[in-house]
Amino acid sequence: SDQVEVCPHCKTATTKSDLEKNFFVCEVCEYHFTIGVKERIAQLLDHNSFEEFDKEAKSLNLDDFYNYQKKLDSAIESTKQNEAFVGGVGKINKNTVCFGVLDSHFIMGSMGYVVGDKITRLIEYATEKRYPLILICASGGARMQEGILSLMQMAKTSAALAQLDHKKGLYISVLTKPTTGGVSASFAMLGDITIAEPKALIGFAGKRVIEKTINETLPAEFQSAEFVLEKGFLDMIVHRKQLRQVIVKLLDLHHQRRK
């Protein structure tokens, strides 16, 4: 039997298979459902071209943080992944790329030591091999169960990207709902081209926290991709159905420029 899915935005019911055919986008209101690693790979990469790196890397509860191990075990079980980030090498329209996805189904896509390390190693590989880098971001930010170690990943990933930039590598960052906290304050916003999905939530701290801090009322659409684009922090908003075509065009332009 085909599972029924209800759009969180307009409450339209649809079957899982129809939703999948439509790139997990509501046919009525265009709401972009949250999707994970498997769907991103299927939608963007050439069939069967992905080869995962550092698949076995797992986080450790180094600070003996209450219930953290339980959280990790349950996330591993439900996502069938060892961490919130999956990266490796694949092909897009026969172009070899380094490709990585942050999955919000795994402890809200938060960045702990292993996530930061996997992202950094992928960036370094892209730099060494001169492959374009594409990262799909979705995160609640740093993984606070790992304390200061999680915050250090912001500097580590950013430093690796500075090296990629120095070698004139191409980095395309795709921001999806939500991209917040330390991830938005580091590698997510450092793309040569920064793309967002429609209505994606993008920001550092939550709206309420900012309002209380600055004692101002912020507009309702504050932190939506559309607002962030208008303020100049994004290059474009691309509908999920068009994302692969847009990336193919950007890769073509990059190759032409390097000839």
Side-chain angles (χ1 to χ4, degrees):
S1 68
D2 203 354
Q3 210 176 317
V4 172
E5 298 276 348
V6 176
C7 172
H9 189 252
C10 74
K11 307 296 179 251
T12 301
T14 184
T15 63
K16 179 92 185 270
S17 56
D18 280 349
L19 193 58
E20 191 168 353
K21 280 185 203 126
N22 205 45
F23 287 72
F24 294 90
V25 174
C26 175
E27 289 193 41
V28 177
C29 72
E30 301 281 292
Y31 173 83
H32 284 47
F33 281 70
T34 299
I35 57 175
V37 172
K38 202 167 85 250
E39 294 84 9
R40 293 285 176 193
I41 288 170
Q43 288 178 11
L44 294 171
L45 297 182
D46 298 355
H47 187 60
N48 277 345
S49 71
F50 184 66
E51 184 193 322
E52 189 178 341
F53 291 175
D54 301 320
K55 189 179 180 169
E56 302 309 317
K58 277 184 180 179
S59 291
L60 303 168
N61 188 6
L62 295 170
D63 288 340
D64 203 18
F65 193 95
Y66 176 71
N67 252 353
Y68 181 36
Q69 195 57 54
K70 209 166 159 185
K71 254 195 163 147
L72 286 168
D73 295 342
S74 122
I76 289 168
E77 196 180 328
S78 64
T79 60
K80 304 285 178 275
Q81 289 155 208
N82 281 329
E83 249 307 343
F85 179 77
V86 171
V89 165
K91 289 189 187 304
I92 297 184
N93 201 29
K94 300 192 174 62
N95 289 300
T96 303
V97 296
C98 284
F99 183 80
V101 182
L102 262 176
D103 194 334
S104 60
H105 298 101
F106 196 110
I107 316 185
M108 211 35 250
S110 50
M111 181 165 61
Y113 177 80
V114 171
V115 167
D117 222 40
K118 286 177 78 170
I119 292 169
T120 303
R121 285 160 65 93
L122 188 67
I123 298 166
E124 287 170 348
Y125 189 81
T127 308
E128 183 201 333
K129 296 287 185 189
R130 298 179 71 80
Y131 291 149
L133 171 71
I134 298 157
L135 297 181
I136 314 291
C137 308
S139 179
R143 191 174 300 172
M144 297 322 288
Q145 292 92 334
E146 294 187 21
I148 190 68
L149 269 183
S150 65
L151 297 174
M152 288 160 75
Q153 307 316 307
M154 295 164 62
K156 188 162 83 178
T157 52
S158 303
L161 283 171
Q163 290 302 310
L164 179 76
D165 187 53
H166 181 64
K167 291 275 163 61
K168 308 229 174 340
L170 172 69
Y171 167 37
I172 300 170
S173 180
V174 181
L175 313 185
T176 74
K177 187 188 89 173
T179 301
T180 57
V183 167
S184 71
S186 58
F187 67 88
M189 296 302 273
L190 294 175
D192 295 304
I193 310 279
T194 307
I195 300 171
E197 288 192 330
K199 302 204 164 49
L201 170 74
I202 299 161
F204 178 64
K207 183 169 184 263
R208 201 175 60 213
V209 172
I210 298 169
E211 286 183 330
K212 290 260 187 283
T213 307
I214 63 172
N215 215 6
E216 296 272 348
T217 304
L218 295 164
E221 74 283 8
F222 176 72
Q223 295 188 327
S224 69
E226 291 69 16
F227 185 86
V228 177
L229 177 75
E230 192 192 309
K231 300 296 173 195
F233 289 97
L234 282 176
D235 293 302
M236 56 182 105
I237 293 172
V238 178
H239 192 289
R240 197 177 281 166
K241 284 185 179 174
Q242 269 83 54
L243 190 55
R244 182 177 149 100
Q245 290 151 269
V246 168
I247 290 173
V248 166
K249 273 191 184 148
L250 291 170
L251 292 174
D252 286 346
L253 286 168
H254 177 65
H255 289 311
Q256 283 165 21
R257 197 195 65 167
R258 281 176 60 172
K259 275 176 189 170

